[in-house]
Amino acid sequence: MKSEEYVIANLPMIVEGDRLCEAVSHVAGFQPFKSQSGREAICRIIEDKAKGNAAEMKSDYSLIPGIDKVIYVDENELAASCFGSTEDGGYVFATFSNIEDATLLVYMDKDGKKSYFSGDYVDYLLKFALWMAFSLASLPYKTVPLHASTILYKDKAILFLGESGTGKSTHTRLWRENIPDARMLNDDSPMVRITEQGAMAFGSPWSGKMHCYINDGFPIAACVRLSQAPANKLIKLNIPQAFTALHPSCPPPFAYVDSLYDQISDFLSDLLSDVPVYHLEALPNADAALLVCKTIFG
């Protein structure tokens, strides 16, 4: 049986199974993370046989084979998804295409060390399922994907956070257009890891619509939560405010499982002890980018 290794945020992941290896190799963003390090993997992504009737499961998530409790559901224009628990303490993630007849199921043990993939390996379903499986497996390593657009400047990462539509990508574009040597690390889901050297932001295969797949990590200079406003104003947040600013950018399903949320909370506490957090009230102009740059880097 074929197997392939990918290293993300310096954490190895093994993909097993001929059809699954082939499918992952063609998902945008994964090739830069392919590796032959031979190190012990934090998780194994294993090809499995298809389970259940897709139409029935999509109409009633309680019919997903093996599911004990529905924890979190989400839907976008591409897919509907369900995250739930199993009777043996593990988790199941099901994602159903909204544009074609395709379904993908993932069964994960409680620490994410093994995840079994079955169903249709459609690119956008597979990419999201891999994100879910790797996010669960990397959590014990104090590694969390934050929903952020991330710029690099002077070999430091600045994470811009906010709800969809608040201008994260616009703001990082303004950095690239107006601040020499500023460049992108990731435009949607960088992996943030607490290391012995401090908090680091790593590129990942999950970068939204921008194809920016950088297999490298950088110290974090700051996190900045954005909101639209009629004038530019940057405010440094205290610890409680900073926790509130960062929390919504963590994986939403994990907030509904006590053991996972405890790990998220520990991660955020460590991050806040090392990294300043700001709130930027901003117009979509160059002055907003220059204000942040000058405040952080002088």
Side-chain angles (χ1 to χ4, degrees), residues 34-48:
K34 200 169 184 178
S35 176
Q36 295 181 342
S37 75
R39 294 159 50 204
E40 182 177 358
I42 68 162
C43 64
R44 307 185 83 83
I45 308 297
I46 304 166
E47 184 175 315
D48 199 8

Side-chain angles (χ1 to χ4, degrees), residues 37 40 48-49 59 72 166 179 191 218 254 256 288 293 295:
S37 75
E40 182 177 358
D48 199 8
K49 295 180 181 179
S59 63
Y72 183 84
T166 54
I179 299 171
M191 303 301 298
F218 300 84
F254 295 174
Y256 298 90
C293 185
T295 302

Side-chain angles (χ1 to χ4, degrees), residues 13 38 44 47 54 58 74 76 82 85 88 95 104-105 126 128 149 158 193 202 212 234 240 244 246 275 285:
M13 174 183 77
R44 307 185 83 83
E47 184 175 315
K58 189 174 183 179
D74 183 47
N76 57 45
C82 170
S85 57
D88 61 1
T95 180
L104 182 58
L105 298 181
L126 183 55
F128 189 18
S149 187
I158 308 98
R193 186 175 180 188
F202 290 83
C212 182
L234 186 65
T244 301
L246 293 178
V275 173
N285 59 23

Side-chain angles (χ1 to χ4, degrees), residues 7 36 50-51 104 109 111 122 177 185 211 228 248 293:
V7 176
Q36 295 181 342
K51 299 179 176 69
L104 182 58
D109 55 21
D111 55 9
V122 177
E177 292 176 349
L185 175 64
H211 290 187
Q228 297 177 353
C293 185

Side-chain angles (χ1 to χ4, degrees), residues 191-212:
M191 303 301 298
V192 177
R193 186 175 180 188
I194 308 300
T195 72
E196 292 181 356
Q197 292 74 40
M200 303 277 291
F202 290 83
S204 82
W206 304 282
S207 190
K209 295 179 181 179
M210 175 177 283
H211 290 187
C212 182

Side-chain angles (χ1 to χ4, degrees), residues 245-265:
L246 293 178
H247 181 274
S249 296
C250 296
F254 295 174
Y256 298 90
V257 180
D258 288 347
S259 60
L260 301 181
Y261 187 68
D262 287 345
Q263 294 179 76
I264 291 288
S265 296

